[in-house]
Each structure stands twice: as structure tokens, then as C-alpha cells.
Amino acid sequence: MKKNIITGLVLLVWGSVFYSCTSEKTVQADFDIIPLPQHVEKISSDKGFELAGTTSIVYPEGDEAMKRNAEFLSGYIAGQTGKKLDVTDKKVEKNAIVLSTGLDDKNPEAYRLVVGDNNICIQGASAAGVFYGIQTLRKAMADTEHGNVVYPAVEINDFPRFSYRGVHLDVSRHFFPADSIKRFIDMLALHNINRLHWHLTDDQGWRIEIKKRPELTTIGSKRAKTVIGRNSGEYDNVEYGGFYTQDEARDIVKYAQERFITVVPEIDLPGHMQAALAAYPYLGCTGGPYEVWQQWGVSEDVLCAGNDETLKFIEDVLGEIVEVFPSEYIHVGGDECPKVRWQKCPKCQARIKALGIKSDAKHTAEQKLQSYIIGYAEKFLNEKGRKIIGWDEILEGGLSPTAAVMSWRGSEGGIEAAKMGNDAIMTPASHLYFDYYQTIDTENEPLAIGGYVFVERVYSYEPVDKSLTPEEAAHIIGVQANLWTEYIPTYSQLEYMELPRLAALSEVQWTLPEKKNYDNFLQRLPKLISVYDDNGYNYAKHVFNVKAEYITDYTDNSIKVVLSVIGDSPIYYTLDGSEPTEKSQQYTDTLALKESCVLKAVTIRRNAKSAVLTEKIDFNKATAKPLILLQPINEKYKYNGEYTLVDGLSGTPNYRTGRWIAFYKNDMELVVDLKQETSVHKAWVRTYVEIGEEILDVRSISVLSSADGKIYKELKTVDYPAVTSKDKNGIYKHEVDFDTVNARYIKIIAKPEYKIPSWHWGSGRPAFIFVDEVGLE
């Protein structure tokens, strides 16, 4: 009888949470959100606050920024609950969300959010801080189905780790209209991002009106056709164009400012300027004619650094840019500027001589000439009260004390800048290029530029290198993800590439590193996804699929497979290649595979299947056997190390997935221990070739055998020809047949191209070889 009484009391309390006195359904909010606040403390004495249709939002009288904040909050609540709350500057004693500034905190974006029985108070160190408190309140709301929301009694004290929290958007390769840019800005605001780096110009199109230079848009914004795929040589023969008027750009800037986002424009110079040269051919070293570039990549035609008209052009463009964009920083690019035209241009060489520029062991004269052009743009902007940001190439040839560096070719440029006392924004392609694939299953993805940046990789990024002193670390002012749009023709695809990687980025930017935990992040992600759904965002769903971890166990010669999903939904799998259903074997523990199979797995949530995980695992006599590497893997492409080569898994045509490991400036030399004398008649090595990226094929493969692992006998060596300009990229399996031997140890040596042929742009340099698997039969 006592048990029944307790049960009845529990049901009574449960009912009081989920049904208010008006019998309207209520749901419990929680503050396990993204990005995770720095400090959340429960207030045990209070029951919490019920947000209902009668709740008011109160802002300080006469404060327009705070009034706008209140209206944003009202709109967010209406979108998620169906309730349009009253916004007022009059004092309300109870049942109110009260917004105010005046928080005593040195971080201007800090806020305190306190939930009590009678009200919710959000106080910020500035209106921006209040805005981020509003985002926290918004994201804590569950999917209410137009009911009431009960907020637990808490006190939150929160602030961002970095002051610069950016996302880059390229509108040159593909153009997105003003309404799409505003939608993008709203998406950034949801993630507490406060900078939009707007890449407005490039070889493939000029996208911003410059009144002194009208041909930049009448000519430079239009390309006659666009290459199909990855520079296939085939074109669509459809004119492509689009640009923003200055009034449109000002409107976008204002829209962003209201959401506490600064638009940082980029005019990329002196390279990436072929669209400008199409409009003004006399600004190039050859005089043209030029056309807006119709393919992807980097054009060798750049602004002529020896032409005084180039300097006038820079002044005309930047002079109008600063009138449209009030940001402290203006991005001037400075990346990927080929110097081949300058090396042969009489004007550029005369400029080098006139300036007394000399090459040294670190930089060529032409690199220092680029520094002169960047310096000229910087001086002009400094006179206008602005500062420059440039890609990390601006470090070449010298850097002024006020220039900020955006480090994209790794973290090294940012580290170098910080040690010099310059501010740096970390945006390495390895972790933060959102135009890269986000899954290794590229066949079922929209075409992308390549690479592999998945959600966990984004989340794992730590922007402040351990080598920096506290004083140097203070110069790492922010983190940014970049989205280049060569292969992103539609806005819907843009959202797909951004989300949910943007969620992982926001926690890197905002949350202190000691509070970050990826597994916990995944548990919090579905709540944010519900906000995506409310807004109709097109997000990638890979993180909700079955995840597989493959472990090479050379002790029992098996491939261990660990399957997992977000939450506790069941996983069903097959090993015969058939499609798994709820009637298939349910996964309960690690699988130990010892023979070839096709693994397929799904999870089922709310009667809906996830995408099917499919993995073909091939065993040969080397699979899961002990492996000894006699020469090192290249550190940049080491991934899971040497056992990648005997894990039974095939790499895809994407060398950054972790399925391929690389060797550079040394041979691949390894020994497979077959653990007992075994009959072998063939060895093979599977390689990946990407000629344009200095990833060439092997030049020879040697196979040797041994009974004791000490004395080896050569079985066969096969030589391969040097790569030619007509050879194709792709995956190659090189088989070496020999007379059958009985051996315990097999040594395989694969030699790379140590000197790239003269026809290649990397002539004379050593090439990489990438290998995903070796085999013995």
C-alpha cells in the first residue's frame, strides 16, 4: 500500500510539470546546449519558470538595440512555441523575461542568465552579451508542439573564449542573392558566430559594385561559361553572373550588425584577379586580352606589381570598400599569387630594382615584391583608420605590426605571426575547410573539392598551440571555418556543407577547452537539430548514422569492429551484404572478423531507418598480421599508422580520409610477419595517384622473403615508368608475381618518385606515395 502511495505522488508531481493549471501541455527545457556555456549552476531553492502566452519580455526604456533584442527573442519563441509574447519597456513584476545591460565583466560579450520562479533575467556586459543570452534561452527550449516551456532554476555565467568567431563565404565562384546571405547570417547568429568573412572577388567573378570602376561588374561579374566537374575540359556554355550593389551590401551589413555580426569584406589581391583583368586588361603584365576565368584553380595572370595604374586601382577599390563596410579589418587576400608573370615582366623587374629588393635564402625578390603591394594596400587602409587581414602568405617578405594573419595552410602561419606579436585567426584546411567532404562515402555525396573534414575532426581542433607562451597565445584572437564554392552551386547545398559542422565549430570558438567533450557534444546535438528543423535548414545527417571503428588485432589476426550511434537506438547488421532490417542480427558487442565479408548496419529511430553503413572487408594472407615499418610514414598523413596497410579496408578516391597513409622523401619499406611458414606466390601494393598534388605512383616494388626475419632473399623487383602528363589520377593495384616460396617474413619495398619530371609544376621535388593496403597471396 505504501508503494502505491509513493507512485501516486510521483505521478502527481510528473503531472504538475507537464500540465499547467490551464491544462496546456508543458515541456521541460534544459541548458545542455551548443555551444556549452562556461558555468551553469542549479538553484535548488526555486522550482523554475514557466513560459506561457502571458509572459512579457521587458527591455530598458529608450534602448533601441535592446528593443531589437527583445523582438528577436519574441520571434524565436513564436517560431518554436507558437506564442507571440508581449514586448514592453514598462516594468513587469512577475512572469517576465527581463533584459538589461550593465553586467560588470571585462568581456563585452559576457552575460548572466538567472532563472527564478517569477522571472528570467538576462544581463549582458553589452547588448551583444544579452543577444548571446537570448540564443542560450532559445536553444534550451525543447520542441514544444505549441505548449508551455518550464525552464529549470539556474544561474548561468557565460562568455566566449575567442573574440573573433568567424565563418568565410565565397560568393565569387557561385553567387548567392542578398536574401540568401541574410538567411546565412541568421544561421551564424544561432551558433554565436560574430564575423562573416565575405569573399567578394576572384578569378571567376567580381561581386561588388565599385562606382569608379563600373566595368568590374558590367564585365567582371559575368563568365561566359563554367567548367563541368573538376576542370574536365567540358563546359556548360551558360553565362553566369551576379553582383551586389553598394546599397544591397550596406543593407546586408546593417542586417548583420543588428545580430552583432561584423561583415569583413575580402578583395583578394594581387592574385586571384583575372575577373578584374577582364575588365581592365592594362592592369595585367601581358596586357591581355583576358576573360573572366571559366575553370577552377589559380590563374597565373595577376595584377602587374610594376604598373602605377595598379596602385591607383587598389586605391579606387579599397576607397569605396571602406565606405560600404565599417569593419575594423579589411581582408586583402594575398594568397596563391603565382610569380611567373612578374619574373618576365619588365615593369615588375624595374620596380624590384627601383625598390632595391634583393632575394635571400628565405624569399625571392618577387615574393618581396608582393609584400610591397600588400604593404601599399595596408598603408592606404591605415590612413582610413582600418587594418588588414591577409592569408598566411602575407608573412612572406615581411609583415607590419598591425596586420593580422589568417592561417589556412596549417597552424604554422598563425603560430609564426603570434610569436612576432601579430594577431592571428586560425583556419587550417585540415580541420576547418567546410567545402571538403564530411564522409568517406563520397559516391553518395554532392560533388566536392575533395578532402575529408568530418564533424569530430572539426570538434577536435585546438587553436592555441602548446609552444606559445601566454603572451603569444593572446595573439590567437579567433577561429574561422572557410567555405569555397567551386562545387556548391545552390544555397541548399551550402547549408548542407555547413551543418552540423557549424555546431562543432561554435564550441571550438566559444567553450573553454577543458569543458569540451565530443561524446557529450553528440548527446546535445539533437536539441540543436530540432532548431534546424524549425528553421527548415538543410543539414547533413551523417552523425546520426551508425559509426564503425575498425581495430586491427594482430594478436589473434582479426579485424575488430565497434559499432555505435547517438543515443540508445538499436543497431542491426548483416555480414553477407544483404540489407539489414529490424529482423537482422542486433549488435550487442564488438565483432571479431577473420574472413572477407560485406558488413552492413543501420539504426532505427522512431520507425525510421538511418542510411546504411556499408563496408567491404577483404582478407588476404597479410591481413591483421604483425607489421614492422623500416622507414617512417609522413607525419602529416600518418592517421592510424602502419596497421592501415593490413586492415582489410579499401581507400576511396580521396586521400585525406585516413584510409591512405603517405611516404615522402623515403621508401615504403615494411616486413609482414606471417607468424608461421606460409606459401606465398604474389604480393601487391595499392596506391593512389593525384598528379596535380605531387602524389605520384611508385617507381619500383621489390619483394623479399626470410625464414628468420634477418636474412632476406630477393624474390622479384618490378620497375615502373615515370609519370607523364597523359597519365590519369586514380587508384592502382600493383601486383608482383614470383615463384611460390614458403616463408614466415615477407619484406616489401616501394620506391617513390624522388625527382618529379621536368614537365610538372613541382619539377625536381620529391613526390608523395599514398598506400592504403598491401597484400600477399
Side-chain angles (χ1 to χ4, degrees), residues 190-209:
L190 172 66
H191 294 86
N192 295 21
I193 290 166
N194 67 357
R195 297 290 192 280
L196 169 58
H197 172 179
W198 207 9
H199 186 86
L200 291 163
T201 67
D202 218 298
D203 294 318
Q204 293 84 6
W206 187 283
R207 305 293 177 213
I208 183 69
E209 176 189 26

Side-chain angles (χ1 to χ4, degrees), residues 573-734:
Y573 72 93
T574 63
L575 295 175
D576 60 2
S578 61
E579 292 300 301
T581 70
E582 62 273 12
K583 295 181 180 180
S584 301
Q585 183 72 34
Q586 185 170 347
Y587 174 82
T588 57
D589 202 356
T590 301
L591 307 177
L593 306 179
K594 292 193 173 186
E595 58 185 27
S596 298
C597 66
V598 177
L599 168 67
K600 292 192 174 185
V602 296
T603 185
I604 299 176
R605 294 182 180 88
R606 299 175 185 174
N607 298 318
K609 269 188 184 182
S610 68
V612 179
L613 166 75
T614 302
E615 192 68 67
K616 190 172 186 288
I617 301 167
D618 289 312
F619 274 71
N620 63 74
K621 291 181 179 180
T623 306
K625 295 297 195 300
L627 189 71
I628 302 168
L629 271 186
L630 302 179
Q631 297 200 47
I633 306 169
N634 177 257
E635 281 297 322
K636 187 175 181 181
Y637 300 105
K638 192 171 185 178
Y639 298 115
N640 293 323
E642 62 268 30
Y643 281 98
T644 302
L645 300 175
V646 289
D647 63 5
L649 303 175
S650 299
T652 66
N654 183 349
Y655 64 89
R656 294 187 179 96
T657 61
R659 292 286 176 89
W660 300 91
I661 60 174
F663 298 86
Y664 184 61
K665 296 183 179 179
N666 58 258
D667 299 344
M668 181 192 79
E669 184 175 5
L670 59 87
V671 173
V672 178
D673 179 0
L674 295 170
K675 301 182 79 170
Q676 61 185 10
E677 192 171 273
T678 303
S679 174
V680 182
H681 66 90
K682 179 188 293 186
W684 52 265
V685 176
R686 194 161 55 221
T687 63
Y688 178 75
V689 174
E690 187 77 42
I691 296 170
E693 300 197 28
E694 300 182 301
I695 303 171
L696 306 187
D697 212 345
V698 294
R699 288 302 309 274
S700 73
I701 296 176
S702 298
V703 184
L704 302 90
S705 66
S706 172
D708 59 5
K710 297 177 182 178
I711 300 173
Y712 283 88
K713 176 185 177 182
E714 183 176 340
L715 300 176
K716 193 169 186 179
T717 294
V718 177
D719 294 319
Y720 301 94
V723 68
T724 72
S725 59
K726 295 181 180 179
D727 287 334
K728 302 294 184 182
N729 296 330
I731 297 172
Y732 293 87
K733 185 177 181 181
H734 301 285

Side-chain angles (χ1 to χ4, degrees), residues 128-201:
V130 174
F131 184 77
Y132 297 121
I134 287 170
Q135 298 305 319
T136 293
L137 201 66
R138 167 195 188 185
K139 286 179 276 194
M141 282 189 285
D143 185 3
T144 66
E145 296 180 359
H146 292 190
N148 290 356
V149 182
V150 176
Y151 284 94
V154 298
E155 179 176 329
I156 296 175
N157 289 282
D158 198 13
F159 55 87
R161 181 186 180 193
F162 293 103
S163 61
Y164 186 109
R165 303 181 302 281
V167 167
H168 155 285
L169 178 60
D170 164 24
V171 295
S172 176
R173 278 53 176 255
H174 282 103
F175 175 79
F176 305 98
D179 285 350
S180 294
I181 301 301
K182 290 179 178 179
R183 180 175 168 90
F184 188 70
I185 287 167
D186 285 331
M187 196 167 73
L188 301 188
L190 172 66
H191 294 86
N192 295 21
I193 290 166
N194 67 357
R195 297 290 192 280
L196 169 58
H197 172 179
W198 207 9
H199 186 86
L200 291 163
T201 67

Side-chain angles (χ1 to χ4, degrees), residues 172-173 199-206 208 210 216 220 266-281 283-284 290-293 297-304 310 313-314 317-318 331-338 342 373:
S172 176
R173 278 53 176 255
H199 186 86
L200 291 163
T201 67
D202 218 298
D203 294 318
Q204 293 84 6
W206 187 283
I208 183 69
I210 302 295
L216 287 173
E266 180 182 357
I267 305 297
D268 200 350
L269 60 89
H272 289 282
M273 273 280 169
Q274 187 158 319
L277 296 182
Y280 301 101
L283 296 176
Y290 307 101
E291 60 184 4
V292 178
W293 224 26
V298 180
S299 171
E300 293 182 346
D301 286 303
V302 303
L303 292 176
C304 178
T310 293
F313 172 79
I314 291 171
V317 171
L318 296 182
H331 204 301
V332 296
D335 65 314
E336 297 177 327
C337 179
W342 291 0
I373 291 294

